[in-house]
Amino acid sequence: MIRIIFFAQLREQLGCAGIEVEAAEAKSIDELKKYLCEINPQWKQFIESKKILVALNHEYVRSNLSLKAGDEVAFFPPVTGG
Amino acid sequence: MIRIIFFAQLREQLGCAGIEVEAAEAKSIDELKKYLCEINPQWKQFIESKKILVALNHEYVRSNLSLKAGDEVAFFPPVTGG
Amino acid sequence: MPFSISIQKDDFDVGNEYASLVMNDTHAGAVVFFVGRVREMNQSRRVSGLSLEYYSGMTERVLEQILESAKQRWDLLSVRIIHRVGRLQLMDQIVFVGVTSKHREQAFQAAEFLMDFLKTQAPFWKKEITEEGEIWVEANQKDKVASERW
Amino acid sequence: MPFSISIQKDDFDVGNEYASLVMNDTHAGAVVFFVGRVREMNQSRRVSGLSLEYYSGMTERVLEQILESAKQRWDLLSVRIIHRVGRLQLMDQIVFVGVTSKHREQAFQAAEFLMDFLKTQAPFWKKEITEEGEIWVEANQKDKVASERW
């Protein structure tokens, strides 16, 4: 399984803090996004927003990395700490 | 009288913390410097050093201002606080 | 602990943090620190408090990476980063960044660098509690520009 | 006292100074401060202490002028400047500059500006107590360059 988590306003927009996805369903970040939007079409506008940041196993990712079972993928809006 | 004071290493080099000069003897900063070097020729190399800063009545002076009785003139080396 | 990071709900004491940063350090000629606090007005909204969320695991890691970059760029003797999370009230302290170095220009630059990257890279999200309800804070273009100068 | 300057023999408490700077201030989102301390090595001399001299009357006036310039350039809520004089030991605190503002970039810039001009303009002179005797500190070209960037 791949663990998917959402933060801040994205979590509220999706109405979901996190889900698990079978590794077979998403072999890359792009496939994962596509899969998430297929199972929840109302997520598409949020997940595909250019502003949304993606992290794989606690590291920012800016390209279409491949995924494997046990990975953790996070989607979140621009950060506003400090 | 004009009050003249010296600080830090300049005071130690001159062996003098301050003196008073008759206003008639020094009508300007340049005249004052000349007068001081006349009465104490061994001061010349220190007083005329390009590094030495001059203040008139607590304000830095960079030109040959005129002096009057009651003025306070200070000579000191570059500052090193902080 | 010359270099340490905390993410915590609890408040911190600036005097104690300062004392720990310089304790027994005969070389720390310069100490710079920054404290961020909850302020009343933000983009013309009246704020009574904040709710701060973070990404446990990743936030610590990003802060460690930022700290590591700062150590490589400047000659630092100690650094302390504290960021609070959870519910905060008006005037509460949010963040502390303290840096010691031999020289002041290094301490100043490192502290600014740490704050600029903390603001733009570390996964924290602020929700403001305002008269008009709870509002997620939008990322600031000015912070992005500030982080790009390094 | 949102804006104040002290020249004093006594030590200061950083925690107390910080508390005074922000007390009841709902707008002070950013606090930056700098502390300068007596450090062990300076230009490869081993320092055991300092003797600090100033020009009573002029030093206060120059610090007030520097503070006034900072207030004109940045939107500052409070500033505290403390400079110690007399005999200081290794690790003693020498100088404190604390600045509060709504925004961090203003607080950082003002604190650096104040320190750069304090270093190059305010009449203070340091004599180091070293193993080789007492040595007047020479003015630093780096400080002069730093003050010329503003």
Side-chain angles (χ1 to χ4, degrees):
Chain A
M1 301 295 271
I2 298 167
R3 191 172 171 231
I4 321 296
I5 43 183
F6 306 107
F7 287 97
Q9 55 268 59
L10 182 64
R11 182 189 60 241
E12 294 185 355
Q13 287 157 343
L14 306 186
C16 174
I19 56 169
E20 299 221 311
V21 170
E22 290 284 352
E25 301 286 358
K27 298 206 165 58
S28 70
I29 300 280
D30 284 355
E31 279 187 34
L32 172 65
K33 284 188 188 176
K34 203 173 154 210
Y35 175 78
L36 293 173
C37 298
E38 274 167 16
I39 58 168
N40 294 287
Q42 71 280 22
W43 286 11
K44 195 174 162 70
Q45 60 170 311
F46 303 115
I47 293 274
E48 293 190 343
S49 159
K50 283 198 162 51
K51 285 192 169 177
I52 291 302
L53 302 170
V54 186
L56 169 58
N57 299 329
H58 299 160
E59 292 277 358
Y60 282 107
V61 294
R62 264 120 195 165
S63 57
N64 183 27
L65 297 186
S66 59
L67 300 178
K68 60 178 192 310
D71 280 345
E72 178 173 296
V73 180
F75 294 89
F76 49 79
V79 303
T80 57
Chain B
M1 300 296 269
I2 298 167
R3 190 171 172 234
I4 321 296
I5 42 184
F6 305 107
F7 288 96
Q9 55 269 59
L10 181 63
R11 182 190 59 241
E12 295 185 354
Q13 286 157 344
L14 305 186
C16 174
I19 56 167
E20 299 220 313
V21 170
E22 290 285 351
E25 301 286 358
K27 297 208 166 58
S28 70
I29 300 279
D30 284 356
E31 279 187 33
L32 173 65
K33 283 188 188 176
K34 205 173 152 208
Y35 176 78
L36 293 174
C37 297
E38 274 167 18
I39 58 167
N40 293 286
Q42 72 279 23
W43 287 10
K44 195 172 161 71
Q45 59 169 312
F46 303 114
I47 293 274
E48 292 190 345
S49 159
K50 281 197 166 50
K51 285 193 172 179
I52 292 301
L53 302 170
V54 186
L56 169 58
N57 299 328
H58 299 161
E59 292 277 357
Y60 282 107
V61 294
R62 265 122 195 163
S63 57
N64 182 27
L65 297 186
S66 60
L67 300 177
K68 61 179 190 312
D71 280 345
E72 177 172 300
V73 180
F75 293 89
F76 48 81
V79 302
T80 56
Chain C
M1 292 180 298
F3 298 95
S4 72
I5 293 167
S6 300
I7 298 171
Q8 61 189 48
K9 288 199 170 179
D10 294 339
D11 198 9
F12 50 84
D13 182 276
V14 168
N16 290 348
E17 295 302 332
Y18 167 73
S20 306
L21 275 172
V22 298
M23 191 182 308
N24 298 327
D25 192 332
T26 61
H27 299 285
V31 187
V32 170
F33 46 101
F34 175 84
V35 180
R37 299 166 79 238
V38 181
R39 66 194 166 88
E40 195 170 5
M41 301 301 289
N42 192 20
Q43 291 158 9
S44 72
R45 292 190 297 271
R46 187 170 293 274
V47 175
S48 66
L50 289 181
S51 174
L52 255 152
E53 180 176 334
Y54 78 114
Y55 179 3
S56 177
M58 179 164 176
T59 308
E60 295 85 343
R61 184 170 183 156
V62 170
L63 290 177
E64 278 158 23
Q65 289 165 346
I66 296 169
L67 174 53
E68 202 47 51
S69 308
K71 285 166 68 174
Q72 280 168 23
R73 292 181 71 135
W74 294 285
D75 189 11
L76 307 180
L77 296 163
S78 63
V79 173
R80 175 83 170 126
I81 300 174
I82 307 174
H83 203 298
R84 293 178 68 194
V85 291
R87 197 83 171 205
L88 301 179
Q89 302 301 314
L90 183 62
M91 297 196 284
D92 275 356
Q93 302 180 134
I94 305 168
V95 59
F96 176 92
V97 168
V99 175
T100 71
S101 178
K102 285 183 197 166
H103 303 290
R104 82 179 183 291
E105 66 282 3
Q106 303 237 342
F108 268 117
Q109 285 196 32
E112 277 205 85
F113 171 93
L114 289 167
M115 277 308 302
D116 284 349
F117 280 88
L118 183 153
K119 282 249 175 196
T120 53
Q121 300 292 316
F124 291 103
W125 300 275
K126 275 190 199 119
K127 190 190 239 180
E128 290 176 350
I129 323 297
T130 76
E131 290 169 336
E132 304 134 56
E134 305 199 343
I135 299 169
W136 287 101
V137 174
E138 291 289 322
N140 190 331
Q141 183 59 25
K142 205 169 57 177
D143 290 327
K144 190 163 172 288
V145 171
S147 76
E148 282 162 359
R149 69 187 149 144
W150 297 104
Chain D
M1 292 182 298
F3 298 94
S4 72
I5 293 169
S6 301
I7 298 171
Q8 61 189 47
K9 287 200 171 179
D10 294 338
D11 198 9
F12 50 85
D13 182 277
V14 168
N16 290 348
E17 296 301 333
Y18 166 73
S20 306
L21 275 172
V22 299
M23 193 182 306
N24 298 326
D25 192 330
T26 60
H27 299 284
V31 187
V32 170
F33 47 100
F34 174 84
V35 179
R37 300 166 78 238
V38 181
R39 66 195 166 86
E40 194 169 5
M41 299 302 288
N42 192 21
Q43 291 158 9
S44 73
R45 291 191 297 271
R46 186 169 295 272
V47 175
S48 65
L50 289 181
S51 174
L52 254 152
E53 179 175 335
Y54 78 115
Y55 180 2
S56 178
M58 179 166 177
T59 309
E60 294 86 342
R61 184 170 184 154
V62 170
L63 291 177
E64 278 158 24
Q65 289 165 346
I66 296 169
L67 174 52
E68 202 47 52
S69 308
K71 286 166 69 175
Q72 279 168 22
R73 292 180 70 134
W74 294 284
D75 189 12
L76 307 179
L77 296 164
S78 63
V79 173
R80 176 84 170 125
I81 300 174
I82 306 173
H83 203 298
R84 293 179 68 193
V85 291
R87 197 85 172 203
L88 302 178
Q89 301 302 315
L90 183 61
M91 296 197 283
D92 275 355
Q93 302 179 134
I94 306 168
V95 59
F96 177 92
V97 167
V99 174
T100 71
S101 179
K102 286 183 195 165
H103 303 290
R104 82 179 183 291
E105 64 283 4
Q106 304 239 341
F108 268 117
Q109 286 196 32
E112 276 204 87
F113 171 95
L114 289 167
M115 278 307 302
D116 283 350
F117 280 87
L118 183 154
K119 282 248 175 195
T120 53
Q121 299 292 315
F124 291 103
W125 300 274
K126 275 191 198 116
K127 191 189 237 180
E128 289 175 350
I129 323 296
T130 75
E131 289 169 335
E132 302 134 58
E134 305 200 345
I135 300 169
W136 287 101
V137 174
E138 291 290 321
N140 189 332
Q141 183 60 24
K142 204 169 58 177
D143 289 328
K144 188 162 173 292
V145 171
S147 76
E148 282 163 0
R149 69 187 149 146
W150 298 103

